[in-house]
Amino acid sequence: MNGPEPQSAAAPARRALLAALAAGGASLSLLPAATSAAVRPHAAVRPHAAVPLGNVTAPTGPRSGTSRLRPHASYWFPDSFPRDREPDDGAVWRSLREWDPDTDPDLPFNVATVPLAERFTPVPANRTARGDQARVSALVSFGPTAGNPSQGGPVAHSYALSHWAYLDELVFWGGSSGEGIILAPNAPVVDAAHRAGVAVLGNVFLPPTAYGGDLRWTRDLLQRDATGGFPLARKLIEVARVHGFDGWFLNGETDGGDSELGAEFVRFVAALREGAPELRVTWYDAFTVDGRVAWQGALNERNEAFFTRSDSMFVDFRWRAGADRLPSSARYAARLGRSPYDLWAGVDVEAQGWRTPVDWPTVLPEDRPHTVSLGLYRPEWTLHSTSDRAPGTFHHRDDTFWTGEHHDPARPGGPGPWQPPARHVADRSAVTALPFGTTFNTGHGTAWYEAGRRASDTEWNHLGLQDPLPARRWAIHGNGPRPTVTLDFAAAWHGGSSLLLDGAEGFDGVLELFRCRLPAGPDTRLTLVHRAEPGSGPVRVAAAWATAEPAEPGAAPAFRHHPAATVRGPDGWTTSVLRPRLAAGSMLRALAVGLRGVAGRPVRWRLGALTVTDGRPSAPGAPTDARITAAARLGADEAEARLRWRAPRGGPCAVHHHELHQVLPDGRRRFLGGTAGEAYYLGSLRRAAGERTTRVEIRAVSHALVRSPAVAVAHRW
């Protein structure tokens, strides 16, 4: 885009490919958790047969530390590399034309395993939000182009996006002329987005010449082979399918072409779209049919050919220069037989966030149909615009950005003239299947908790571990002063966070959590794990649900209540298993909790987990074929390693995620990490008490929060 060069991020066939990649690992003993046999050390570690170890990851440097094995998100140049310069620090220049998934050692760590969920639009939370008009796209930078870890890292300060309910499409933004200009999204981002039903696009960024762009890269992208086809279009399709994401954002900003080049780019987009109808293509309003870069800020004859061959177009920020640019674009789209909501009106919030001046009535008028959709450029401002690195501070700011200063979807406005997405766009839900469970884990934290106790004091982030989170932050129905509700990191039942409600004296109401479509009947079970916090009086708790949507926007569902427990002070977690006794064929449409402070005392209450199951939940099967495929010493008592396994029967999507633990000599377990996929990079394995062999266990965790038996691997020191 016309601005400072970004510095950041950016099927059966895929399963067969991963199985083939698995064959390259070193042999390793495979032990079920219950076995008493001695653990055998793995064989001498060797890299994948076809790849020298020096090519496994980016070379050592400030971005990669001393690691030789850490996998990173994928990035490439189309074919040729920059002239008369060296790669930026930490970057490895790669050619997409030469990319071969069979010899990509980082691929197993970059494959998303969660399919794109279906979702629905419930009755809106307020009278201004609409479910059938404008949508929202976001261009987000999650990390540097080079050295962006494939699977999170050991810091809590990260952009743990969670307001998926308002998004339709996420672009994994990034690329630079010194690193690479084609980016594949990393797996945690895709897995988290897919659970919520949000499509994720990779980014093709052809930079302006002022930022090192070279028209040669545009010609590389558009080159043809002996058959007249576009080999790089086929490569883009292969990358998306193998990595498991949903399409490409095409951003051509290198000037200097001619009409012949423009016509060839049109044909390239058509070939990309026709070669993979299941993938999305979004065009950015920069490169025109005459081969020149000329941002239009509108849909017109200079970019029409690209729009008609794409699924949508991101309209450059210059739409603000003319009052009729967006209305005329909407009319133009209608004449082409396209929806005006296939146009994203770009709003650049990178520098000012909710202080960004926006002509809201032109984009999203409230007295007539929305003009076009909304395209947010760099909403991760909520993370980077404050020096406070506490994850709770980030989520408070992010809630403000998406739902408004009141943190109440019934009153979505502010700060100042800011109009948050919740004001205009109805939230959508992917809570449609049993078993359903959440521990309100946001995908990062300052510690890791299991059964309410700390299992690790290390900061972490991994969006692939994120649970379903309430969309309407925060919908509260009832009497008395409105409480404060937050995603809190001071304690958790499982993961890194929990939900904390802090109310004034006399609170008596319902905290709405999820709009859903969950099948229910006589065997339905609702389970709450909760506790009162220090400073709270006794709290009467009830599970609440509704089997019908409210009749109009902004209204509360007709909740039914089932008493759960009276929680009396900070004596630990309470697990309440409730049987609503619903009729066969029922459908849960909303989930909530009812809370009432006793004797006028304040309410300070924490919810650690919520599950809905059909009967007693069962444990998933254990992972199989676990092995260490590479390892390296980082010190006398520390190592890094790459691990692989196969998910339980039913595939990776039968479970929510996998967890890895180190078994200590005294039998205790230390949490090491987790992922939704079937491969994990362990950045720090520390041996205890001079042991010669360290055992690592891998378990699958179901959507109902039930762990499988373990499979174990051993590292010999």
Side-chain angles (χ1 to χ4, degrees), residues 477-481 504 506-510 594-597 603:
H477 315 286
N479 303 314
F507 176 70
D508 181 2
V510 173
L595 300 169
R596 182 160 67 90
V603 174

Side-chain angles (χ1 to χ4, degrees), residues 4-347:
E5 183 180 20
Q7 295 299 312
S8 99
R14 189 163 81 244
R15 299 284 173 237
L17 170 62
L18 294 180
L21 286 172
S27 64
L28 218 279
S29 61
L30 177 64
L31 296 177
T35 185
S36 59
V39 180
R40 296 198 311 272
H42 61 78
V45 175
R46 57 182 174 83
H48 191 284
V51 183
L53 184 60
N55 291 335
V56 168
T57 55
T60 59
R63 285 181 175 163
S64 54
T66 58
S67 169
R68 299 181 67 197
L69 300 179
R70 183 184 299 277
H72 296 113
S74 303
Y75 59 95
W76 304 269
F77 288 94
D79 194 354
S80 59
F81 301 135
R83 293 175 283 201
D84 302 323
R85 66 175 297 177
E86 296 296 320
D88 284 0
D89 184 34
V92 175
W93 288 348
R94 304 177 179 93
S95 164
L96 179 59
R97 184 183 175 99
E98 300 301 322
W99 177 72
D100 181 352
D102 290 323
T103 58
D104 181 348
D106 284 0
L107 180 60
F109 306 89
N110 285 321
V111 171
T113 56
V114 177
L116 183 63
E118 295 185 2
R119 58 184 183 170
F120 68 95
T121 304
V123 174
N126 57 69
R127 295 183 179 276
T128 56
R130 306 174 194 176
D132 58 350
Q133 296 182 25
R135 298 168 289 139
V136 181
S137 174
L139 278 59
V140 175
S141 167
F142 287 92
T145 295
N148 185 359
S150 298
Q151 298 179 328
V155 293
H157 187 69
S158 65
Y159 186 59
L161 175 61
S162 63
H163 285 279
W164 303 107
Y166 301 107
L167 275 173
D168 183 77
E169 178 177 288
L170 175 75
V171 177
F172 193 78
W173 177 253
S176 75
S177 58
E179 298 170 293
I181 61 176
I182 299 173
L183 281 71
N186 62 23
V189 172
V190 179
D191 286 335
H194 278 187
R195 285 197 186 103
V198 176
V200 181
L201 306 189
N203 188 33
V204 178
F205 174 52
L206 300 166
T209 54
Y211 298 111
D214 190 331
L215 195 62
R216 180 169 50 113
W217 297 335
T218 304
R219 299 190 188 280
D220 284 348
L221 184 70
L222 307 182
Q223 63 185 284
R224 291 183 183 255
D225 58 21
T227 68
F230 292 98
L232 270 296
R234 292 195 296 270
K235 281 293 184 182
L236 291 176
I237 292 169
E238 183 181 24
V239 167
R241 286 175 172 169
V242 170
H243 285 73
F245 60 93
D246 307 292
W248 291 98
F249 185 89
L250 302 180
N251 178 16
E253 296 192 74
T254 311
D255 204 357
D258 53 23
S259 59
E260 181 178 349
L261 188 66
E264 193 72 345
F265 214 150
V266 170
R267 290 187 283 266
F268 174 89
V269 177
L272 177 62
R273 191 69 184 82
E274 293 165 6
E278 81 279 12
L279 299 180
R280 293 192 185 195
V281 175
T282 293
W283 180 259
Y284 172 57
D285 161 32
F287 193 88
T288 60
V289 291
D290 54 13
R292 303 305 302 271
V293 172
W295 300 271
Q296 302 299 295
L299 171 63
N300 57 31
E301 67 282 353
R302 298 189 71 184
N303 52 33
E304 168 194 338
F306 297 107
F307 172 64
T308 56
R309 288 159 178 81
S310 303
D311 294 275
S312 59
M313 185 173 80
F314 193 100
V315 179
D316 180 71
F317 316 121
R318 287 164 176 77
W319 63 263
R320 295 171 296 181
D324 192 50
R325 287 193 178 189
L326 291 185
S328 67
S329 297
R331 295 190 294 270
Y332 202 118
R335 290 196 299 272
L336 297 172
R338 295 286 297 273
S339 169
Y341 307 123
D342 292 342
L343 299 170
W344 314 101
V347 174

